[in-house]
Amino acid sequence: MKIGRIVRVLEDKERKETIIKSDENRKVIISFYYPADENWKESRQALYVDLYSPREDEFISIFKNMLPYKENAEKENYLKSIKTNIYNDAPISKKAVNCPVIIQCSGLGSPRDYLTFNIEELVRKGYVVFTIGHLYDSMLTIMPDGKLIEMAKDELTQDEKKELIDIRKDDIIFVLNNLEKLNLDDDIIKNKLDLSRIGMIGHSLGGAAVFKASQCDIRIKAAVLFDASLQFFSLSNVVKNKQTLNKPVLNFRRGTFDYETSMKKYIDYMKNSLDADKFKEGILIYDNVLRDSAEEQKNLFHYLCGYKSFIKLNTSEHMAFTDYSIVKGEKMESKILTAKKAHEVINDLAVRFMDEFLCGNGKRYSSFIKNDEYITLIDEDGKSIKGTKL
């Protein structure tokens, strides 16, 4: 199936840009994904690098540093050869009318179109997808005119990340406010959206922003959190005050979601790259992150009073929920789990969840979710539940 993609830039005249010093209004860039016209004949095979048009060179310059090849020519050739089913500006299918809507929010530093493995599956299953580009907190944002916008800062404190989450939450609500106009006036999007069925998917810091938007906007009917940054949820007081949220939420965690495993991996990764003082500082910060995440896992469990599903993808890492393995060309997520299988499982459960709780298609998710070799149900403490459904 061929999938179309268009890019739009929205300007919020009610907010000024605050991430950088500027008198300009806050802008948000979005990609819209949809089924392409079945009779359309493409001129060539779509490539992953096309997502960064008209500055494909910037994509190659940044992402080639991730690759294991020794020579730059090998790196560039690989990045230029990644195939996809996504075609920029393809004509939209005439059958795409009143489609349920998914809005995606990627993690800190990640480009907005960094979950295409999931986007393609969602569109194949009848959804249309918007991805939100939060300017100045992505490593690479290409505007339609070719202007490159980079991250405002390479390193952020925990307080600065909290501020970014609030900015992202406001960006999400701003996009929601504009969907009705796009559905009325946009040449491609017009009459394609069913605005009574809007779901959200967020990864990492994007998951935190998605959750905060879901708390305050009733238009969001269901939310899927891909290894969200739970440490920023701040639910202690609302739980103490017995406040609740009646909204279906899938909290989908990486397989290494526990203190001991996470801390060991952090130490092994950082011990040779930082001096003693920086290493100690990093350990203390990460200790707080892990403890806060564990606490907010419990709070989230008690805060949600509607359908809630807490699961983890066995042996997986944080970036399993992104295109990282596609761009890097990695075949294995772990010794047990291939990168391809990880994406298959993530897609299957995310689509089933949205089918049931956004579109009302029977018990597509709740009667299917179970313990198996890939998925483990977890409780409020992040511990495995053997043979039990939440």
Side-chain angles (χ1 to χ4, degrees):
M1 177 181 181
K2 292 186 283 290
I3 293 165
R5 171 184 177 264
I6 59 170
V7 175
R8 298 287 186 261
V9 178
L10 308 176
E11 180 178 355
D12 188 349
K13 296 180 180 179
E14 302 298 320
R15 288 189 296 157
K16 293 295 182 183
E17 182 57 67
T18 57
I19 297 179
I20 62 168
K21 292 181 180 179
S22 173
D23 290 328
E24 294 184 355
N25 294 328
R26 175 73 174 167
K27 292 185 178 70
V28 177
I29 185 169
I30 59 174
S31 296
F32 174 61
Y33 292 87
Y34 52 88
D37 189 301
E38 298 80 4
N39 298 317
W40 176 68
K41 301 298 183 184
E42 70 278 16
S43 60
R44 65 168 176 83
Q45 169 66 49
L47 299 171
Y48 195 89
V49 71
D50 297 338
L51 297 173
Y52 297 87
S53 174
R55 295 297 304 275
E56 296 90 343
D57 58 314
E58 291 292 343
F59 164 76
I60 292 169
S61 175
I62 290 175
F63 281 86
K64 70 181 182 182
N65 296 322
M66 294 168 48
L67 301 182
Y69 304 111
K70 292 182 179 180
E71 301 296 330
N72 280 335
E74 289 182 286
K75 296 177 181 181
E76 292 177 11
N77 287 336
Y78 172 74
L79 291 173
K80 290 177 181 178
S81 69
I82 304 171
K83 296 179 181 179
T84 184
N85 296 307
I86 298 168
Y87 292 83
N88 287 329
D89 302 313
I92 194 166
S93 170
K94 294 179 178 61
K95 298 177 183 178
V97 180
N98 294 327
C99 301
V101 177
I102 303 295
I103 300 176
Q104 279 190 357
C105 189
S106 59
L108 177 64
S110 296
R112 70 185 181 278
D113 301 320
Y114 207 46
L115 284 77
T116 63
F117 79 94
N118 185 235
I119 292 168
E120 288 196 32
E121 184 67 9
L122 286 164
V123 175
R124 278 194 289 266
K125 293 302 172 65
Y127 296 86
V128 292
V129 180
F130 289 90
T131 64
I132 301 180
H134 306 280
L135 301 190
Y136 304 107
D137 76 359
S138 167
M139 70 172 78
L140 179 63
T141 302
I142 307 296
M143 303 300 280
D145 62 1
K147 180 180 179 181
L148 170 67
I149 296 180
E150 300 175 320
M151 287 189 72
K153 294 179 69 174
D154 291 333
E155 295 186 14
L156 297 169
T157 65
Q158 296 302 97
D159 286 339
E160 287 172 330
K161 290 177 183 178
K162 287 180 182 178
E163 292 175 7
L164 274 185
I165 290 170
D166 286 334
I167 292 171
R168 282 172 165 238
K169 177 202 71 175
D170 291 340
D171 287 346
I172 291 168
I173 292 171
F174 171 65
V175 170
L176 286 169
N177 292 340
N178 276 268
L179 290 186
E180 186 172 354
K181 185 176 188 304
L182 291 169
N183 202 33
L184 288 173
D185 300 333
D186 190 276
D187 291 343
I188 301 295
I189 302 173
K190 184 177 180 179
N191 296 327
K192 302 301 183 288
L193 313 181
D194 181 348
L195 299 180
S196 69
R197 297 186 292 173
I198 300 175
M200 293 213 63
I201 296 175
H203 173 246
S204 194
L205 200 80
V210 161
F211 179 71
K212 288 193 177 269
S214 298
Q215 283 182 284
C216 61
D217 201 306
I218 62 173
R219 291 172 293 187
I220 302 170
K221 305 302 183 186
V224 176
L225 312 179
F226 286 162
D227 210 29
S229 300
L230 297 181
Q231 67 269 26
F232 297 113
F233 277 27
S234 305
L235 293 172
S236 297
N237 288 333
V238 295
V239 170
K240 285 179 184 177
N241 293 329
K242 299 187 187 234
Q243 295 174 260
T244 56
L245 178 67
N246 186 8
K247 187 169 293 188
V249 172
L250 166 56
N251 183 35
F252 204 165
R253 307 295 291 166
R254 67 185 182 274
T256 55
F257 178 62
D258 63 74
Y259 183 94
E260 291 78 11
T261 305
S262 297
M263 183 58 78
K264 183 180 184 303
K265 285 183 175 292
Y266 179 84
I267 291 172
D268 290 343
Y269 181 74
M270 300 300 293
K271 63 185 178 184
N272 295 322
S273 60
L274 299 174
D275 61 38
D277 289 339
K278 284 285 187 182
F279 182 66
K280 181 179 179 181
E281 180 184 351
I283 290 291
L284 292 174
I285 292 173
Y286 198 54
D287 173 74
N288 286 331
V289 167
L290 294 176
R291 292 179 187 276
D292 289 345
S293 293
E295 182 63 25
E296 291 305 316
Q297 168 92 0
K298 295 179 183 180
N299 289 333
L300 179 62
F301 191 90
H302 293 291
Y303 179 56
L304 298 173
C305 66
Y307 185 91
K308 55 192 173 189
S309 182
F310 286 47
I311 63 176
K312 66 179 180 181
L313 181 60
N314 297 337
T315 76
S316 64
E317 300 289 349
H318 184 61
M319 298 304 286
F321 297 88
T322 73
D323 286 349
Y324 179 82
S325 63
I326 296 172
V327 174
K328 197 171 180 182
E330 290 189 335
K331 301 295 184 184
M332 300 298 296
E333 172 62 23
S334 69
K335 292 180 180 179
I336 297 171
L337 188 66
T338 66
K340 181 181 178 181
K341 187 62 182 181
H343 283 177
E344 287 178 357
V345 174
I346 292 165
N347 281 340
D348 188 26
L349 295 179
V351 169
R352 285 176 179 273
F353 189 86
M354 289 300 182
D355 281 354
E356 180 172 347
F357 297 105
L358 181 62
C359 299
N361 294 338
K363 292 187 175 294
R364 286 271 297 144
Y365 180 87
S366 56
S367 64
F368 173 81
I369 188 67
K370 62 185 183 300
N371 291 53
D372 61 23
E373 60 181 314
Y374 301 112
I375 294 298
T376 300
L377 301 177
I378 53 177
D379 64 13
E380 61 187 287
D381 294 312
K383 296 178 181 177
S384 300
I385 303 174
K386 298 298 183 183
T388 305
K389 292 181 181 179
L390 287 178

